[in-house]
Amino acid sequence: MVTGAAGFIGSHLAHALVQAGAVVVGVDRRDPATDPTAAANLAALQRLPGYMHVTADLLNCAIEPLLLDANAVFHLAGIPGVRPSWGPRFSEYVASNVLATHRVMDAVTRMGIPRLVVASSSSVYGPTEGGPSVETDRPQPASPYAVTKLAEEQLCLAHSVQAHCPTSVVALRYFTVYGPRQRPDMFTHRALSAALTGQSLRLYGDGHQRRDFTYIDDAVAATIAAATIPTASGVINVGGGSSASLLEVINIANSLSGREIQVHHENPRSGDVLTTRADPSRAHEVLGWQPQVDLHNGMRAHMQALAAETAAYGRAA
Ligand code: NAD
Ligand code: UGA
């Protein structure tokens, strides 16, 4: 089962699993019949015979029947995004990231599912000195979103260490994932969109903030590996592909498009950290994982997909 299957990472993951021969039940509360983003994310997947989609809210649906015959659960459903988490939607973050996760863990445990992989976030580390973050570092979440992601991963781990819990949990701390179908609120999407359409790009701060950008196919490969490796419960960083500043991302978008993005400067946003950087050693040792796609090639693939999408749906802005 893949939760959040109509989303960015979940739809890629479900697709890769089906292509590898798995039968996948995808669950998401966004209905592809009425939500254009969900429809676009699921378009290719829903044509594959190994995929079944269920539109349901994990806050109140019956989860156990969805888990019949499941041997792994990938829990990616949640409310992402750092900056809006300060606002009135915080209760949604708590509901989907914490309360729904508790329901998922309860169901998974009762159904005896051996492995749950949960989407955590680099944001749990908070501000760093610029050096790589190791899984054993003390988390210092700097935004309400990050607090809910830390609660989410720790909640799953707390369930997993209960006596007689049949489920081991691998919490993956993804570092800023990009690539085709990336959420439109994210920076890489917005920079490439601006480069394609000529619309201006709002840059929060001076653009020197750095992210450890992780290409979607690399994130998916780590996620699939996390379902099958024999390991005790724990957390693993999924990042370390391409450390770059936002200004470098803008430069790549300029060179890929042959157009100079018009940048509109705005104040830095609350909760944004200056740098995220993964120590990928644990992912390498435990998952046998190494990122394969560098930022230039990843952004080229992302831009090609966005250009095709713009032509097909006129919805890239
Ligand atoms: P996304 O918004 O594209 O996908 C999340 C999906 O979860 C959405 O389709 C949404 O409808 C669904 N969902 C939310 N609440 C639900 C509920 N109560 N019941 C059923 N479905 C629900 O986001 P994404 O970028 O694909 O992120 C997926 C996960 O990875 C999230 O948990 C996010 O916090 C985490 N993450 C993402 C990134 C990134 O760079 N994209 C980095 C770190 C962590
Ligand atoms: C991303 C995801 O949005 C989170 O869901 C995820 O948990 C997190 O990665 C993670 O790695 O854990 P973020 O790093 O904030 O969060 O990624 P973007 O939303 O792409 O923002 C990157 C930077 O670009 C931030 O400094 C942001 O302020 C800036 N930005 C974003 C802009 O300057 N302009 C924009 O229009 C959007």
Side-chain angles (χ1 to χ4, degrees), residues 29-265:
R29 69 178 180 183
R30 286 196 290 189
D31 184 353
T34 53
D35 182 313
T37 304
N41 286 347
L42 291 167
L45 188 55
Q46 285 191 299
R47 288 195 288 269
L48 301 179
Y51 183 74
M52 191 182 90
H53 192 77
V54 177
T55 299
D57 191 328
L58 293 164
L59 272 169
N60 49 39
C61 71
I63 300 174
E64 286 174 34
L66 304 172
L67 293 171
L68 292 170
D69 299 329
N71 53 15
V73 170
F74 299 89
H75 180 43
L76 279 80
I79 308 295
V82 172
R83 292 160 296 282
S85 67
W86 295 103
R89 290 191 65 205
F90 180 62
S91 56
E92 279 185 59
Y93 283 78
V94 174
S96 280
N97 299 355
V98 184
L99 301 179
T101 296
H102 186 54
R103 293 191 82 237
V104 168
M105 272 314 296
D106 256 349
V108 159
T109 304
R110 273 199 297 272
M111 294 298 282
I113 309 296
R115 172 65 47 81
L116 177 125
V117 181
V118 60
S120 184
S121 156
S122 71
S123 64
V124 304
Y125 289 112
T128 65
E129 305 280 309
S133 297
V134 185
E135 290 84 348
T136 48
D137 288 352
R138 189 169 74 88
Q140 289 181 280
S143 69
Y145 164 71
V147 170
T148 65
K149 294 307 284 186
L150 184 60
E152 176 174 359
E153 61 162 51
Q154 294 301 317
L155 183 60
C156 293
L157 292 166
H159 275 269
S160 77
V161 296
Q162 286 206 106
H164 313 303
C165 177
T167 308
S168 60
V169 166
V170 181
L172 299 178
R173 292 178 175 167
Y174 296 118
F175 283 67
T176 313
V177 184
Y178 73 103
R181 308 203 297 271
Q182 190 193 41
R183 300 193 331 262
D185 59 290
M186 293 185 69
F187 185 74
T188 316
H189 175 107
R190 289 191 170 170
L192 289 169
S193 233
L196 283 169
T197 62
Q199 288 172 356
S200 68
L201 173 69
R202 292 188 297 170
L203 183 61
Y204 308 143
D206 61 9
H208 288 293
Q209 60 266 53
R210 299 185 77 80
R211 292 290 178 270
D212 214 339
F213 293 97
T214 310
Y215 189 63
I216 182 65
D217 292 356
D218 285 330
V220 164
T223 310
I224 293 176
T228 48
I229 38 124
T231 184
S233 294
V235 297
I236 303 179
N237 289 338
V238 174
S242 300
S243 169
S245 70
L246 302 190
L247 295 178
E248 288 171 291
V249 170
I250 291 172
N251 281 339
I252 295 175
N254 285 342
S255 81
L256 286 170
S257 67
R259 187 204 300 253
E260 185 90 0
I261 297 173
Q262 297 305 309
V263 175
H264 178 76
H265 287 272

